[in-house]
Amino acid sequence: MPHRRRSGRHGGNRALTATPALGLVLALILALLSACSGDGEGTSGSAAPADAGTAGAGPSAGSGRSARPAGPAADLATELSGGNGPFTAAGTPADLGSAGYTQREVAATGTASSYRAVGALGADGRWTFAPDTSAPYRTRVLVRRPTAAERFSGTVIVEWLNVSVGLDSDAEWTTLHEEITRRGDVWVGVSAQRIGVQGGPVLVPVTGAAGLAGKGLTTIDPARYSTLNHPGDGFSYDILTQVARAVRSGAGLDGLRPQRLIAAGESQSAYALVTYHNGVQPLTRAFDGFLVHSRGATGLGLVGPGENADLVSVLNDTPTIFRTDLDAPVLDVQTESDLTGVLNSARARQPDNPHLRLWEVAGTAHADTRLLGPAAAVLDCGVPINNGPLHFVAKAALRALTVWLTTGAQPPVAPRIEVAAGSEPHITRDADGIAVGGIRTPPVDVPVSALSGAGGPNTSTICALAGSSRPFTSSRLGELYSSAADYRHRYDESAKSAVNSGFILTADLESLRKATDTTVIPS
C-alpha cells in the first residue's frame, strides 16, 4: 500500500534486473519512438471559459452523485511548439488524420500539493489523505479530439501516461483508439510522473530505446520542452486532478464542453489510479469513472519532493482493494498474466458491487502484440508472444463504463479466471494449456493456438509479461475441427456469444472475424 519513502536525492525507481519486472508500460519495451503530431456520435460542446482558474463546485455527471468540491485548476493556455513535434513512445504511432482527429500539445501549469497518509492505509482501501507540501509545476498535456466539433460525444478519457521504461507511453490510447475515435470521445494524455518530463532512474532497462529512456522530455527535445518542470511524483496525483478540473471546464478543448471524465491508466499507471481512487478521489471527486487496466495487488506509493515513485518497493505490500464507499464506478480490466507472477493482482480480488466490475480476460497478456506493435517482431522470447483479444474486450469495457455513467445500466458480471491456491498460486489450465474461466472469446474457445499469459523459455522481464501464442500441431487441429468450414462456423458462433454477453462490441465483430486463419486447418 502507498506510504512515504525517502530514497535519496533522485528518488526511488530501482531497476528491475534480478527481480522480475513489474507492470511496465507494455507498449514501450522495445517501443518505436515516434514523434506524432495532429496537423462516434455526440453533441458539440458550448463555448469554453478561459484556460485557467478555479473549477467550480457542482454535481458529477449523472444524477444523485455527491457535490464536487471547488479547487485549483491547471492553466492550459500555452501551446507547446517547435522542436520535433509532440513526443510519445508508442508501439504504433497514432494515425489521427484518417480518424478525423486533431492533436494539440499544451503546457499544464500551476501549484500542486503532495499528500500524506492520515492513519493506517488498510486493505479495504478506505484511506485518508491530507495535503502536505506544495510546489509549482509545468508539465505536458496531449489532447486528441474530433476535428468536427459536432462529433464530440461528451466523454473525455484522461490517461495517466505510463513511464515504466523511462518514456511517456500512451498505452490506453493504443488499446482503445478505435472505440475512442468512432464514438467521438476526447482523449487527454497527462505527463503525470517526473521521469517522463525530466528523466531519472529507469524501472525496466531495455534495449532498443535509442538511448532516450530515462532522459525525459526536457532532454529529448529541449527546443520544445525545456521550460517543463516536474516537482516529483508525490505531486502527480494533484497534477492529474488539476488537469481534470481544467478539462472539465473546457480548457484546452477548443470550445468543447465535457459531460463526463473517465480516468484511465495501464500497468504502473493503474497502480497510481488505485492510490488516486482510494485516497484522492474522496477529496476531489474529479472523475466520474475509472477505467483501470492491468493493476497489481497494491497501489503506487507516496513520495517526497523531487522523488520518483518506487514501484518495486510496493510490489509485496499489503494487497489493496478499491474502496467501496464512493459513487464513481470502476471497471477493472485484468489480463491473465496480471493475476499471478509479479503483479499478482489475484491477491487484491474483490466481489463486484454496485460501483465495481472486475473483468479478467482469459488468453491475454500484460504486454501483447497489440501494445508492442512492430517491435513485437524483434522480441525473442523463445515462442511467439501473445496476440490475444484483450483490446477487443477493453473497448467493450470502455463502452460499458460510458453507458454506466450515462444511463446507470451496469456492465455485465464476468466470470473469474480459475486460480489454484497454494504457496505459489497458479492459473488452472485445460489440456491445451488454455486458462479455465474468465471472459471467453473466439480465439480462446475456438483456438488454433494456445493463447496464454504464461511466457516462453526466455525469462526476461518483458518476455514474462508478453505471454505466449503456441500454435497447435496439425494433428491437434484435425482432432478439434472436421474442416475449415467447421472451424469458421464454430468461431462465428463463439463471436456472436461474446457479443451477446457484452464482452465484445458489434462494431468489432468484423475485425474479430478477420483474425481467423482457416488455412491452418488440415483438409
Side-chain angles (χ1 to χ4, degrees):
M1 59 189 174
H3 49 291
R4 182 175 293 276
R5 273 191 167 78
R6 299 289 180 181
S7 50
R9 179 171 171 234
H10 295 295
N13 257 0
R14 298 173 297 176
L16 288 180
T17 52
T19 305
L22 60 79
L24 53 68
V25 210
L26 330 82
L28 278 40
I29 318 303
L30 296 165
L32 300 181
L33 306 173
S34 61
C36 54
S37 56
D39 48 76
E41 308 91 321
T43 58
S44 60
S46 58
D51 283 5
T54 298
S60 302
S63 60
R65 293 198 172 121
S66 303
R68 184 177 300 108
D75 184 334
L76 304 182
T78 303
E79 201 91 14
L80 292 173
S81 60
N84 298 313
F87 175 89
T88 56
T92 303
D95 182 7
L96 301 176
S98 63
Y101 266 60
T102 298
Q103 177 169 267
R104 291 184 65 192
E105 185 177 44
V106 298
T109 62
T111 299
S113 294
S114 61
Y115 289 98
R116 58 181 174 84
V118 179
L121 299 178
D124 64 0
R126 298 194 180 196
W127 301 344
T128 300
F129 285 2
D132 196 2
T133 59
S134 63
Y137 69 89
R138 182 180 176 88
T139 192
R140 179 271 294 271
V141 169
L142 285 164
V143 178
R144 297 169 184 166
R145 64 165 181 83
T147 303
E150 62 271 17
R151 289 194 57 226
F152 179 43
S153 67
T155 298
V156 177
I157 294 97
V158 181
E159 178 173 356
W160 181 308
L161 295 177
N162 193 301
V163 297
S164 292
V165 298
L167 297 164
D168 275 344
S169 170
D170 53 359
E172 288 301 81
W173 170 270
T174 299
T175 300
L176 303 167
H177 64 85
E178 293 95 345
E179 173 66 3
I180 291 171
T181 56
R182 68 191 170 208
R183 300 293 292 182
D185 299 341
V186 167
W187 174 89
V188 174
V190 182
S191 293
Q193 288 183 254
R194 188 175 186 274
I195 288 178
V197 176
Q198 291 184 269
V202 178
L203 182 65
V204 185
V206 293
T207 57
L212 298 179
K215 302 296 185 184
L217 293 172
T218 55
T219 298
I220 290 170
D221 191 351
R224 189 175 185 90
Y225 299 120
S226 63
T227 63
L228 302 185
N229 178 60
H230 196 294
D233 287 354
F235 301 90
S236 297
Y237 305 102
D238 195 36
I239 290 172
L240 188 75
T241 297
Q242 292 192 23
V243 171
R245 287 179 179 141
V247 168
R248 189 181 292 277
S249 75
L253 302 187
D254 298 317
L256 303 182
R257 182 63 69 96
Q259 299 171 19
R260 63 202 70 87
L261 266 61
I262 294 171
E266 185 269 340
S267 192
Q268 182 173 174
S269 300
Y271 280 83
L273 289 184
V274 171
T275 299
Y276 189 99
H277 175 270
N278 287 348
V280 182
Q281 176 72 5
L283 302 176
T284 66
R285 300 189 181 273
F287 293 98
D288 301 301
F290 291 81
L291 182 63
V292 179
H293 173 187
S294 286
R295 64 161 292 190
T298 63
L300 197 64
L302 303 176
V303 296
E307 294 185 358
N308 300 306
D310 184 1
L311 187 50
V312 176
S313 67
V314 303
L315 292 178
N316 295 315
D317 277 0
T318 302
T320 301
I321 66 171
F322 292 101
R323 65 188 300 160
T324 59
D325 59 342
L326 302 183
D327 52 24
V330 177
L331 210 160
D332 179 11
V333 179
Q334 296 295 105
T335 72
E336 178 189 313
S337 61
D338 299 331
L339 296 175
T340 57
V342 176
L343 278 75
N344 210 3
S345 69
R347 294 195 299 143
R349 274 175 162 174
Q350 66 188 107
D352 288 354
N353 62 59
H355 303 294
L356 172 74
R357 287 293 183 272
L358 171 58
W359 286 10
E360 296 174 351
V361 190
T364 60
H366 190 84
D368 59 13
T369 57
R370 166 79 171 208
L371 281 168
L372 292 173
V378 299
L379 184 61
D380 181 11
C381 293
V383 294
I385 71 171
N386 188 281
N387 63 351
L390 187 280
H391 63 284
F392 289 114
V393 178
K395 285 179 280 188
L398 175 57
R399 178 80 64 88
L401 179 56
T402 303
V403 170
W404 200 355
L405 290 172
T406 54
T407 72
Q410 296 186 358
V413 172
R416 305 289 171 89
I417 292 174
E418 291 189 17
V419 178
S423 57
E424 292 188 11
H426 61 276
I427 291 170
T428 303
R429 301 188 182 280
D430 65 17
D432 290 315
I434 295 173
V436 176
I439 291 175
R440 316 299 292 183
T441 56
V444 171
D445 274 355
V446 189
V448 294
S449 62
L451 294 173
S452 174
N458 185 333
T459 58
S460 69
T461 292
I462 178 54
C463 289
L465 295 170
S468 56
S469 301
R470 292 178 168 87
F472 289 164
T473 63
S474 293
S475 60
R476 180 57 179 151
L477 290 170
E479 293 169 355
L480 291 172
Y481 312 109
S482 61
S483 64
D486 174 44
Y487 163 67
R488 167 62 78 179
H489 172 73
R490 290 163 60 182
Y491 189 99
D492 286 348
E493 289 301 306
S494 178
K496 292 176 185 176
S497 176
V499 169
N500 291 337
S501 298
F503 301 122
I504 298 289
L505 297 173
T506 302
D508 287 322
L509 192 55
E510 188 57 32
S511 294
L512 187 61
R513 285 172 171 158
K514 288 179 179 178
T516 61
D517 183 7
T518 57
T519 63
V520 302
I521 308 300
S523 3

